Structures are given as C-alpha cells and as structure tokens.
Amino acid sequence: MRRFHFAPPAILAPLLAAACTTLPQPAGGPPLLGTEWRLVAFESSKDAIGTIRPREDEVYTLRLAPDGSAAMQLSCNRGFGSWTSLDAKAERGSLQIKAAGVTMAACPPGAIARLPADFEHIRSFVIADGRLHLNLMLDGGNYVWEPKR
C-alpha cells in the first residue's frame, strides 16, 4: 500500500495563487499582422519641415498581409512589396518594408511625395492610441497612420 504525503498549506497557497494569475497582455491596438492603414501625417524631426498632412485628394494606404506581402496606395499610384517584423504581434518593435514596384502615373505634385522612397528607411513601429507610427532610421521622422475604414 502506498502512502501519500501532502504539502503543508503554507507551501501550496503561493503556488496556487501564481497558477491562477494571468499575464498582462499588451495594450494599444492591433498587431501588424493583416492590418490596413491610412496615412494621417508625416512628422519630421526637422523644425523647418514640421508636420505635413496629405491633402484631401491624396490617399495613402498601407496593407500588411499575413503572408508578408505589402500593398500600397500612393496618391494616384499603387505599390507592392513585402514586410518583415519579429514583433508583428506586439505593439512596438522592428519593422522593414521593401517596396518591390510602384506604378508611375503622372500624379499632381503631392504633399508627401517622399513616402515611396522612405519605405526602405523604416526601421521600427509603435502602435499607440489606435495609430501606427512608422519610424525612419537616424531620427528621420515618423509616418502616422490610422486604421483604414
């Protein structure tokens, strides 16, 4: 016949409390995986440039598909490429976007014409207050996006 030994309640209580505690989840918005965003502003780190907002006739969107592909609307042009992030399920982390191709329609000069060239300089992201902030390398500025409706 086997004898069972029970641990004293003083040892079991902290273990049971730890097992019932849930870990805090990140807050601040959705992960990057499978999201679509509309550009709100470019915030330059240079005071001479400041904050630039797209005009009403300019539409910039970015879709980050779960398969790693990226689709962009760049005013009257379209773009496609890929994206990678080890932190795609978090609210902040590293991010790289590679634009593989962009159509070349003759769009009127836009307020944020530099965006297609800046995709390759994005190094990190932060999702805060429901907005996606894409940060350029070397403090080159930030692109601020809101969820596309």
Side-chain angles (χ1 to χ4, degrees), residues 11-145:
I11 294 174
L12 288 178
L15 294 173
L16 288 173
C20 293
T21 305
T22 57
L23 295 175
Q25 297 297 314
L32 289 178
L33 203 62
T35 57
E36 191 162 359
W37 305 90
R38 181 181 173 119
L39 184 64
V40 175
F42 172 71
E43 299 171 337
S44 176
S45 57
K46 297 179 182 174
D47 290 337
I49 297 173
T51 299
I52 302 170
R53 299 189 192 305
R55 296 186 316 255
E56 284 198 29
D57 63 333
E58 291 179 288
V59 177
Y60 298 92
T61 62
L62 174 63
R63 182 174 187 282
L64 303 170
D67 68 358
S69 63
M72 306 131 197
Q73 181 177 348
L74 305 166
S75 191
C76 72
N77 284 299
R78 301 258 183 214
F80 65 94
S82 62
W83 69 280
T84 57
S85 174
L86 297 175
D87 308 302
K89 295 181 180 179
E91 63 183 14
R92 65 181 63 232
S94 65
L95 174 67
Q96 290 190 329
I97 299 175
K98 302 236 186 255
V102 176
T103 61
M104 300 299 289
C107 300
I112 308 184
R114 63 181 279 166
L115 177 59
D118 275 347
F119 276 122
E120 70 181 69
H121 301 295
I122 292 169
R123 292 297 179 263
S124 63
F125 74 94
V126 174
I127 298 174
D129 299 324
R131 290 188 166 184
L132 171 65
H133 301 261
L134 298 181
N135 313 116
L136 299 175
M137 66 181 188
L138 301 174
D139 200 25
N142 306 305
Y143 284 96
V144 182
W145 306 75

